[in-house]
Structure formats: C-alpha cells, structure tokens
Amino acid sequence: MALEWVVLGYAAGAEALMVLLLTLPGLDGLRKGLIAVTRGLLKPFLSVVPFCLFLLMDIYWKYETRPSCEGDSCTPSEHLRHQKSIMKSQRNALLIAAALLFYWLLYSVTGLVVKVEQLNQRLERLKNRD
C-alpha cells in the first residue's frame, strides 16, 4: 500500500515544481517550453483526481473497519498502534489534499500564463501594425 502514496507524493511534487517554474519571474526564455510541457502533462495528471478519490475511500474504509481502542480494553502497544494508524491516515489525507490543490493550481496558473502570452503576442502585433 505504500507504493501508491509514494506515487501520489511524486505527482504532487512534480505539480508543485511546475507551478513554481511557471510563476517564477525571469524565466521568459524558458517559459514557452514550460508552457508546452505543462499543457502536455495536464491531461495525464488529471488521473491524480480519481486516484485521490480512491485513496480517500481507502482511508475511510480503514477508519470504519479499524478496531476501536478506548478505555482500558487495549494494551499499551495496541493503543500505540491505534494512534500511529490515526496519524498515518491524517498524513495521507493531507497528501491527498495537497495533490488535488496543486493540480488545481497548475491548471489555473497554466491557463493564466497562456492568456498572458496570447495578450502579449496580440499587443506586439498591434504595435507592429501601427
């Protein structure tokens, strides 16, 4: 089960890196290539959304079927294992939220950068025409 969390972590990291590279000032020479690469990767990265929903359902199923450890019915090691399980679920839920947020940011920022590039080209054509 750890492999899917690693894959999701790498996907979220790649999305964050692309958002960072698209929004950094001073990369005008690389911007066209970055836009092309990012627009090409938006559709494959869309698979992150159903993957996150699947993992979220997995967390929910584990939460619902987890044996409860309340009161004096558990040994200290069982109580510790229960707490670790809860912390892992919370960490994984944060990873899911981060991956979805970074995909949405990447989609939005790419759209805005493309619009800015189109407006800059249009402005150059109007200047050249006058």
Side-chain angles (χ1 to χ4, degrees), residues 1-9 62 91-92 95:
M1 288 301 274
L3 182 61
E4 55 233 4
W5 297 109
V6 171
V7 169
L8 187 62
K62 285 180 182 177
R91 178 199 62 199
N92 292 340
L95 182 60

Side-chain angles (χ1 to χ4, degrees), residues 13-128:
E15 290 168 350
L17 182 66
M18 284 190 277
V19 167
L20 182 69
L21 288 175
L22 281 175
T23 57
L24 277 177
L27 296 177
D28 295 332
L30 297 173
R31 189 145 342 258
K32 285 187 180 186
L34 286 171
I35 291 171
V37 168
T38 304
R39 289 184 80 185
L41 288 175
L42 277 176
K43 281 189 181 179
F45 273 152
L46 185 61
S47 64
V48 166
V49 175
F51 190 59
C52 285
L53 293 175
F54 167 74
L55 292 175
L56 197 59
M57 288 188 320
D58 182 52
I59 289 173
Y60 178 74
W61 179 79
K62 285 180 182 177
Y63 178 77
E64 286 295 320
T65 61
R66 182 179 313 146
S68 64
C69 192
E70 297 174 3
D72 295 335
S73 64
C74 296
T75 65
S77 64
E78 288 175 338
H79 187 68
L80 183 62
R81 189 174 336 122
H82 180 72
Q83 292 297 328
K84 282 184 180 180
S85 176
I86 290 173
M87 288 179 63
K88 282 183 183 180
S89 295
Q90 290 171 348
R91 178 199 62 199
N92 292 340
L94 284 174
L95 182 60
I96 289 171
L100 291 173
L101 176 72
F102 281 130
Y103 180 78
W104 176 73
L105 282 173
L106 183 64
Y107 181 80
S108 300
V109 166
T110 303
L112 290 173
V113 169
V114 167
K115 282 183 184 178
V116 167
E117 288 294 321
Q118 289 172 348
L119 288 173
N120 283 338
Q121 290 174 357
R122 189 172 167 192
L123 185 64
E124 286 297 320
R125 277 187 274 145
L126 287 173
K127 284 182 181 178
N128 290 337

